[in-house]
Amino acid sequence: MAKEAGRKLVASNRKARHDYTIEDVFEAGLVLSGTEVKALRAGRASLIDSWCEVEGGEAWLMGAHISEYAQGTWTNHAPRRKRKLLLHREEIERLESKTREKGQTIVPLQLYFLDGRVKVEIALARGKKDWDKRQALRERQDNLESERAIRERRDR
């Protein structure tokens, strides 16, 4: 059986980029059971309302929902269990020291397969205030309108 090549997106946390200012991004492996991997291959995952914690020198993915595998038996997994993240010691220490600062947190951005292995993209992030969110939406809308005007002018 040939090994999968490339990157296949399973789940994305689009709300995280709206709610947080992303400061630094890390790629981490994920410790999973067999039925979890099969459920992920079927695309059955959600990162909504999930977060990461560092406790006891280990990083954990909390609140991520991986649905039970349909053909699983009594060996099936719990959908919202905490899952260990595989990171280098220096990365874990850096994340731990940064999250002690006020307003810093670790949020998962994407869950994907990379060459057949499950990876999660996590980010060190700072929470946005409501006015920051409104300003970002306004800027995005202004950019879209200017692009549209340029395109219309070019097409004439």
Side-chain angles (χ1 to χ4, degrees), residues 21-104:
T21 302
I22 307 300
E23 295 182 359
D24 205 0
V25 177
F26 299 89
E27 181 180 73
L30 206 52
V31 177
L32 299 171
S33 69
T35 56
E36 288 174 316
V37 176
K38 289 181 178 187
L40 286 175
R41 288 197 191 285
R44 312 273 300 160
S46 173
L47 292 176
I48 296 171
D49 296 332
S50 60
W51 72 98
C52 299
E53 288 182 2
V54 177
E55 53 185 51
E58 295 178 335
W60 297 90
L61 177 64
M62 313 288 271
H65 187 274
I66 299 176
S67 298
E68 288 187 352
Y69 183 56
Q71 284 80 38
T73 58
W74 57 272
T75 59
N76 241 333
H77 60 279
R80 285 205 182 267
R81 74 178 185 90
K82 71 180 197 177
R83 295 165 177 95
K84 188 175 179 179
L85 294 172
L86 303 173
L87 290 161
H88 291 283
R89 170 106 17 237
E90 300 84 40
E91 292 173 327
I92 293 173
E93 289 168 358
R94 184 169 166 214
L95 286 170
E96 189 172 24
S97 67
K98 290 284 189 177
T99 53
R100 286 195 186 117
E101 295 176 18
K102 187 170 169 38
Q104 294 269 9

Side-chain angles (χ1 to χ4, degrees), residues 112-128:
Y112 55 91
F113 282 96
L114 183 67
D115 297 331
R117 296 183 189 271
V118 179
K119 302 286 183 181
V120 64
E121 186 176 82
I122 60 173
L124 190 62
R126 185 176 301 279
K128 284 185 184 177

